[in-house]
Amino acid sequence: MLPAFMPPDPMMNFLARCLRPLACLAVIAGALAAPAEPARQILVRAALSDDAAQQRELITSLTGRADAALVALLEAWRTDALFRYAPAEGTALVVQLTGPKDDEGRQAAVRIDTGAALVDAAGQPLKLAAGDLKAVEHTTSLRRAMKAVADLADLADPDPARRFKAVQTIGQAQDAAKLAPLQARLEVETDAGVRRVLREAIALVQLKDPQDATRIAALGTLKELHTLASTDFIKRALKEAEEARNQPVLTAAREALRAVENHRSFVDFFGTLFRGVSLGSILLVAALGLAITFGLMRVINMAHGEMIAVGAYTTYLVQNVFGTGITLPFFGLSLGLPGLDLTGGAYQTYFLFALPCSFLAAALVGIGLERSVIRFLYRRPLESLLATWGVSLVLQQAFRLMFGANNVQVSSPVYLSGNWTVNDIIFGWNRVFVVGFAILIVFGMWLVLTKTPLGLLIRASMQNRTMASCMGVRTERVNMLTFGLGSGLAGLAGAFLSQIGNVGPSLGQGYIIDSFMVVVVGGVGSIGGTILSAFGIGGIDQVLQQYLPVVAPGLGWVPGIGGFLQNLAQDAAVFGKILVLAGIILFLQWRPAGLFVTRSRSLED
Amino acid sequence: MTGASQASPRRSRIELTVVAIIAVILIVVLPVLNAQGAISNFTLGLWGKYLCYALLAISVDLLWGYTGLLSLGQALFFTLGGYMHGMYLMRMIGELGQYKKPIPDFLVFLGWERLPAFWEPFSSFSFAVVMVFLVPGLLAYVFGYLAFRSRIKGVYFSILTQALTYAASIMFFRNNLLMGGNNGFTDFKFILGHSLAEPATMRGLYIATAIAVVLAFLFCRWLSRTKFGLVQQAIRDGENRVLFSGYATMHFKLFVFVVAALIAAVGGALYTPQVGIINPGEMQADKSLEAVVWVAVGGRGTLLGPILGAVSINALKSWATRAYPDLWLVILGGLFVLVVLFLPGGLVSIPARLKALWGKVRRSPEKPAAAASDTQPASAKT
């Protein structure tokens, strides 16, 4: 099928032959893959040649000699940065100018053939001015040849990720001239991912083939691969086939398109599911602390968000202590924290240390808050709402004064910043981690509440404070510890959220309303309800975000506000959130006390 | 604090005289002094703003102080009123905007050629006035109906109103709502044909605001003395008892909620032309809470308290944000904690407290510190 429109090119055959050992070499020897010196000399020969055809041939012969430096030289040539230099005696040279310009506009020169600095007879570095030299010329066809070399250079790159990208680019350009190198590469390629994308690229290029059989075969391959990237190309092929009334191709294209669309809805569905679960975990982690302070203790802690922020800032501090240290302004004083100057793996472990630190820091702040303000307000819930809001303002301003009004930089450790792509569904490690972490702290909390003496005291005090007190439980102390536990969980949430969102003075504000919603919907006092409602709200939010843009164009029929709704629904994230809040208000019509009601015989409860 | 309704006629007469004097000062004396040049336009503008906030504070107090409903959504109704009036003011800019187009600048910026349909009728002042009442009132009615029907009360009500405000604010921050997005409405030029750059126009707006505050005060005073007002206060002190006495508390609460929303909306509508800008920042949750601080500091469950609180805290804010910009939030938050912990009756309870203290000093045994505890509003139960 190939030779039908392309004469057998000796160069290409050569390429195919030399690529094989080269690829093996590339895999084994990494950067040493290409013999750089000869390639440079070929380049110089081409640059000095006056015959355009010979130049083209020389350049094309460089194809497949993967060397980033060589590609950079070609790029320099293309942008008039290579110069022809004829010394007084000896042969002409090709040079590149580097370094700063001196007063007369002269720069240090580098010889292209050796890569060494240009020196005069005495061995002193020679400086040249760009204005005095003649740039090496290039024609359109030569530039095209250079581009082809540059594109294909990546095909043999030792790094599979770069090969992947190069193949993808070539495939999407659908350039028939690249077909042979792609097929040659497919024969030697060992990486499964790259093989797959190679097959896709070959099929994409073949979609442009004039022969029906080839196109149908290509469509068959695409159907089998059903990659998302090929959608547009299949659609184009479908349109062309429709215009040409080419029934067999049309059928094949439709089938391929259906396979791709099926795959897309599969990916969308599971992607949404995963995002919903991870958002639910975030909400859960943020709301768990509140489930204790609000749910069990009935304290409306509006500073809960700031407890989260305390955790996030503690993570930031620990990160800095593991790094180069940090100096904080502290109400007029300067508070210096020395750095451990760790790097690499040791530095990366900072996050593991940050977790307990965040817990402790937030727990301490929480205990301080309980002792100084909240303990006076246990019988006045509305007042505790107002007082803790006052505290939240003070804390926010304290963050601003200590850490600045802007967001601070919390770097993700490597083990949290990658992702897995399974079947086109992206699983970010930080998201996977937060899901795992949510499970872990729910389990931990369950253990603390049901299997430890402290948990027993907590439950006793929360269920009937007076009775517990009569039995000798020091309820004051239990209150303090319970509030500390709830705040510490918020701090732990902060450490996590620092990996997902920005860390700034108003970080907590973004979570406070969501957290309260989660607890209210779940049923105040019910940890199980909190878990269920977090995942419910997270899931519904993500589903709305995913499908609102699909539904939005269909809202035009609503009388009066149709256009308005269409317009608004484009902001899926915001509109979804509003719908969730509206849904919660309606949900509370049906179940005013939330999903799980804690039964009580008290009238006012 | 329910003393007002049970006070002797003489005390009531004194109170009314004080109110009349303050009203005359606010409505007549200040504008006259401004016209004479004794008070700068800037100061009068500040007072206009304070009084708009006083309306917001009255609406919070009517709900929280008199009915026991801590609404954290009053800033939403305030801002909605402001937006409805702002739409009229935006239409009045005409072609004097940056782009010299007959539609508001931000619409030109968003690529609109014509006015969206829902903007059309706002060229009429009377329509805008109707909407100032209708939109917040309707929202309050629907939300209140849903909330009170399922007996959502106490902190749950607070949290839900806060969520409502939050939802509305993120909506108003979007450009796609076609309400000016982030920047809201500003650069107003005319109101009813009068230029807003004229001191006389601003004076007129100020007088209107002062009258509105006095009217709202008198209305609340009247309402708190009717049977309705007594039921309302009974709901605050023990809703279940009222319910078991055969009153449908839901209707009472719904009525008060809507009335409070309307008072706030009027405040917002007067706020927009005087301050010259309305944007979604005004309806964020902390603005509502700020209004609650004014009421708490002034003295909730009293009629003068919220006005006093709104004016004094905002005057403090104007001063502190210039003198100590970094510390303003600390001051506000600290003030809040201190008032809640140590002065639950607010500023207006200080005379009574001093009196009680004076009584103690004089060691008069028949007057223990009853006055102080008397001024504490019975806290609403969960």
Side-chain angles (χ1 to χ4, degrees):
Chain A
M1 49 183 176
L2 160 71
F5 63 99
M6 208 175 121
D9 188 343
M11 220 43 255
M12 288 296 172
N13 285 337
F14 163 70
L15 173 72
R17 255 179 286 124
C18 77
L19 258 178
R20 246 162 280 173
L22 215 143
C24 300
L25 243 175
V27 172
I28 301 158
L32 293 173
E37 281 306 304
R40 278 173 170 266
Q41 268 154 25
I42 292 172
L43 181 80
V44 169
R45 211 139 50 84
L48 294 176
S49 164
D50 292 326
D51 179 6
Q54 195 200 356
Q55 272 187 324
R56 219 167 33 242
E57 201 172 301
L58 281 169
I59 291 294
T60 312
S61 77
L62 289 170
T63 318
R65 297 196 157 180
D67 184 359
L70 190 73
V71 175
L73 287 178
L74 286 175
E75 177 64 17
W77 186 345
R78 204 175 62 74
T79 53
D80 293 327
L82 283 194
F83 299 97
R84 193 189 262 255
Y85 171 68
E89 66 261 17
T91 52
L93 292 171
V94 180
V95 296
Q96 201 177 7
L97 302 182
T98 59
K101 285 185 181 177
D102 64 10
D103 299 339
E104 292 155 54
R106 296 183 308 178
Q107 290 166 283
V110 176
R111 284 174 66 141
I112 299 304
D113 51 354
T114 60
L118 184 66
V119 291
D120 60 10
Q124 290 299 309
L126 204 58
K127 285 198 159 189
L128 299 170
D132 304 338
L133 296 170
K134 201 160 157 284
V136 182
E137 287 173 355
H138 42 85
T139 60
T140 314
S141 59
L142 189 61
R143 281 198 296 274
R144 209 172 293 144
M146 278 159 33
K147 177 127 181 12
V149 172
D151 289 347
L152 292 174
D154 282 344
L155 264 189
D157 196 278
D159 177 11
R162 291 193 59 173
R163 286 210 297 279
F164 190 94
K165 217 167 162 230
V167 173
Q168 227 173 15
T169 318
I170 296 171
Q172 280 167 7
Q174 290 187 299
D175 182 357
K178 306 276 172 55
L179 192 57
L182 284 177
Q183 283 167 329
R185 181 72 217 174
L186 183 60
E187 281 174 39
V188 294
E189 183 58 58
T190 49
D191 186 279
V194 181
R195 277 189 71 86
R196 199 174 139 85
V197 76
L198 267 169
R199 288 182 61 201
E200 182 203 33
I202 291 169
L204 286 180
V205 175
Q206 283 174 343
L207 276 185
K208 289 266 180 182
D209 197 287
Q211 288 191 350
D212 283 358
T214 315
R215 289 216 300 277
I216 291 171
L219 284 166
T221 315
L222 288 176
K223 180 187 163 195
E224 183 202 328
L225 294 171
H226 52 69
T227 56
L228 297 182
S230 61
T231 319
D232 287 345
F233 299 96
I234 298 177
K235 276 187 184 154
R236 210 173 301 149
L238 185 80
K239 209 168 149 210
E240 276 163 19
E242 244 169 19
E243 275 161 14
R245 295 173 196 287
N246 189 337
Q247 202 53 46
V249 178
L250 193 62
T251 317
R254 279 203 182 120
E255 274 174 23
L257 192 62
R258 198 174 311 130
V260 172
E261 294 297 347
N262 281 344
H263 179 60
R264 182 186 297 280
S265 45
F266 167 83
V267 168
D268 282 352
F269 177 76
F270 282 98
T272 308
L273 195 71
F274 174 66
R275 281 195 302 278
V277 169
S278 78
L279 179 65
S281 306
I282 292 172
L283 288 175
L284 179 59
V285 167
L288 261 182
L290 206 65
I292 290 190
T293 54
F294 178 42
L296 293 180
M297 301 180 74
R298 305 294 161 105
V299 171
I300 315 299
N301 182 13
M302 294 298 274
H304 177 76
E306 277 57 49
M307 298 297 157
I308 294 179
V310 166
Y313 274 119
T314 309
T315 309
Y316 170 69
L317 283 183
V318 172
Q319 174 200 329
N320 273 293
V321 168
F322 272 61
T324 53
I326 188 172
T327 310
L328 295 173
F330 193 76
F331 294 107
L333 302 169
S334 183
L335 189 72
L337 285 173
L340 297 171
D341 285 318
L342 299 175
T343 48
Y347 175 71
Q348 301 286 354
T349 58
Y350 86 86
F351 189 64
L352 301 179
F353 289 90
L355 287 176
C357 290
S358 304
F359 181 90
L360 284 179
L364 284 178
V365 175
I367 287 175
L369 177 63
E370 202 272 343
R371 285 289 91 186
S372 59
V373 178
I374 290 172
R375 73 177 161 137
F376 303 110
L377 300 171
Y378 279 120
R379 283 166 209 288
R380 297 192 280 162
L382 281 180
E383 266 101 334
S384 77
L385 187 158
L386 298 178
T388 49
W389 183 67
V391 172
S392 97
L393 282 187
V394 173
L395 283 176
Q396 272 178 50
Q397 193 59 26
F399 297 145
R400 236 170 246 136
L401 292 175
M402 284 172 69
F403 299 95
N406 297 329
N407 293 335
V408 296
Q409 207 64 50
V410 177
S411 62
S412 286
V414 275
Y415 46 85
L416 287 185
S417 48
N419 63 51
W420 289 304
T421 307
V422 182
N423 234 336
D424 288 331
I425 308 166
I426 300 165
F427 295 93
W429 288 349
N430 55 355
R431 305 259 162 182
V432 175
F433 201 35
V434 81
V435 174
F437 178 73
I439 296 170
L440 208 69
I441 57 178
V442 166
F443 182 68
M445 214 169 88
W446 175 78
L447 278 184
V448 168
L449 284 180
T450 58
K451 304 285 173 201
T452 64
L454 176 68
L456 187 68
L457 295 184
I458 289 177
R459 282 181 297 139
S461 309
M462 300 315 141
Q463 276 171 21
N464 194 332
R465 198 180 303 262
T466 331
M467 183 60 83
S469 168
C470 290
M471 303 298 276
V473 177
R474 290 158 70 188
T475 48
E476 282 268 301
R477 196 162 151 266
V478 172
N479 279 340
M480 187 182 88
L481 290 177
T482 315
F483 199 83
L485 176 66
S487 302
L489 283 176
L492 217 46
F496 261 86
L497 298 174
S498 72
Q499 300 299 317
I500 285 169
N502 294 325
V503 178
S506 49
L507 161 79
Q509 295 297 300
Y511 291 102
I512 182 80
I513 293 184
D514 288 337
S515 307
F516 270 111
M517 288 298 117
V518 166
V519 177
V520 168
V521 168
V524 177
S526 156
I527 306 275
T530 304
I531 297 168
L532 200 63
S533 86
F535 285 108
I537 290 177
I540 291 172
D541 186 279
Q542 285 301 319
V543 166
L544 284 174
Q545 275 193 36
Q546 178 74 42
Y547 295 104
L548 267 183
V550 185
V551 181
L555 290 175
W557 55 270
V558 184
I561 52 168
F564 178 71
L565 280 182
Q566 271 177 328
N567 219 331
L568 204 58
Q570 284 165 4
D571 282 326
V574 169
F575 199 54
K577 209 159 190 171
I578 292 167
L579 284 183
V580 168
L581 288 172
I584 288 172
I585 293 174
L586 291 177
F587 170 81
L588 291 177
Q589 298 298 302
W590 173 53
R591 292 195 78 103
L595 282 172
F596 293 94
V597 187
T598 34
R599 305 231 170 262
S600 155
R601 300 182 66 156
S602 154
L603 175 64
E604 296 284 349
D605 219 21
Chain B
M1 85 267 87
T2 47
S5 51
Q6 293 139 16
S8 63
R10 184 173 153 266
R11 206 175 144 193
S12 172
R13 223 177 305 127
I14 295 174
E15 195 188 311
L16 270 184
T17 319
V18 172
V19 169
I21 292 171
I22 296 176
V24 169
I25 292 176
L26 287 180
I27 299 175
V28 182
V29 178
L30 283 183
V32 168
L33 285 177
N34 173 246
Q36 300 291 324
I39 291 180
S40 72
N41 294 331
F42 176 75
T43 312
L44 194 77
L46 272 185
W47 275 87
K49 190 170 99 173
Y50 297 162
L51 291 181
C52 291
Y53 283 145
L55 281 169
L56 176 57
I58 289 175
S59 90
V60 171
D61 190 43
L62 188 63
L63 282 172
W64 183 37
Y66 280 92
T67 327
L69 295 166
L70 178 56
S71 161
L72 299 183
Q74 291 314 99
L76 169 62
F77 301 121
F78 180 84
T79 316
L80 276 181
Y83 262 102
M84 292 302 120
H85 192 198
M87 286 174 87
Y88 162 75
L89 293 170
M90 286 306 270
R91 294 291 296 125
M92 287 303 105
I93 294 174
E95 300 194 11
L96 293 173
Q98 296 280 318
Y99 294 106
K100 310 291 174 211
K101 288 275 172 59
I103 60 173
D105 280 346
F106 73 89
L107 285 174
V108 182
F109 187 72
L110 290 176
W112 282 72
E113 301 284 326
R114 282 182 320 110
L115 208 56
F118 71 97
W119 268 85
E120 277 308 339
F122 280 91
S123 322
S124 144
F125 182 71
S126 37
F127 180 82
V129 170
V130 170
M131 293 315 267
V132 163
F133 289 99
L134 200 62
V135 171
L138 211 60
L139 180 65
Y141 183 81
V142 171
F143 179 81
Y145 177 80
L146 292 176
F148 299 134
R149 198 185 73 106
S150 51
R151 300 228 190 119
I152 292 171
K153 53 189 171 182
V155 288
Y156 301 92
F157 180 74
S158 307
I159 293 167
L160 266 194
T161 48
Q162 193 183 22
L164 175 76
T165 314
Y166 175 65
S169 79
I170 55 175
M171 197 157 86
F172 272 82
F173 267 117
R174 310 305 301 183
N175 282 329
N176 277 338
L177 192 68
L178 304 180
M179 295 291 274
N182 227 350
N183 300 322
F185 301 152
T186 185
D187 280 339
F188 309 126
K189 301 273 192 272
F190 298 104
I191 178 167
L192 291 171
H194 303 285
S195 165
L196 283 168
E198 286 288 322
T201 315
M202 296 310 280
R203 200 150 54 229
L205 283 167
Y206 167 80
I207 295 173
T209 315
I211 292 177
V213 171
V214 173
L215 285 180
F217 174 85
L218 292 176
F219 171 76
C220 289
R221 189 181 141 86
W222 168 78
L223 190 69
S224 69
R225 280 145 196 261
T226 58
K227 189 182 168 202
F228 182 92
L230 294 178
V231 173
Q232 189 193 338
Q233 289 162 47
I235 290 174
R236 173 193 64 195
D237 296 338
E239 182 169 357
N240 282 320
R241 293 189 194 185
V242 181
L243 201 59
F244 299 152
S245 307
Y247 290 94
T249 54
M250 176 194 157
H251 300 306
F252 285 87
K253 293 200 279 187
L254 189 54
F255 179 79
V256 175
F257 191 56
V258 172
V259 167
L262 295 183
I263 294 176
V266 170
L270 288 163
Y271 174 90
T272 306
Q274 294 190 81
V275 176
I277 184 167
I278 186 85
N279 60 34
E282 289 294 324
M283 67 165 81
Q284 280 179 318
D286 40 340
K287 287 284 173 182
S288 295
L289 275 157
E290 223 178 298
V292 175
V293 188
W294 307 333
V295 176
V297 169
R300 70 189 175 105
T302 65
L303 290 164
L304 273 179
I307 302 175
L308 189 66
V311 173
S312 57
I313 300 266
N314 278 298
L316 178 70
K317 182 180 185 176
S318 299
W319 171 75
T321 44
R322 255 173 295 153
Y324 305 101
D326 280 349
L327 290 178
W328 162 240
L329 282 180
V330 177
I331 296 173
L332 182 72
L335 195 66
F336 212 5
V337 176
L338 293 180
V339 166
V340 167
L341 285 181
F342 301 114
L343 195 65
L347 289 177
V348 291
S349 74
I350 288 180
R353 286 202 153 203
L354 288 179
K355 213 166 137 191
L357 207 65
W358 180 237
K360 260 192 207 164
V361 169
R362 282 204 338 207
R363 281 195 231 104
S364 57
E366 74 276 6
K367 271 193 182 175
S373 61
D374 209 37
T375 47
Q376 281 186 18
S379 58
K381 305 214 166 56
T382 329

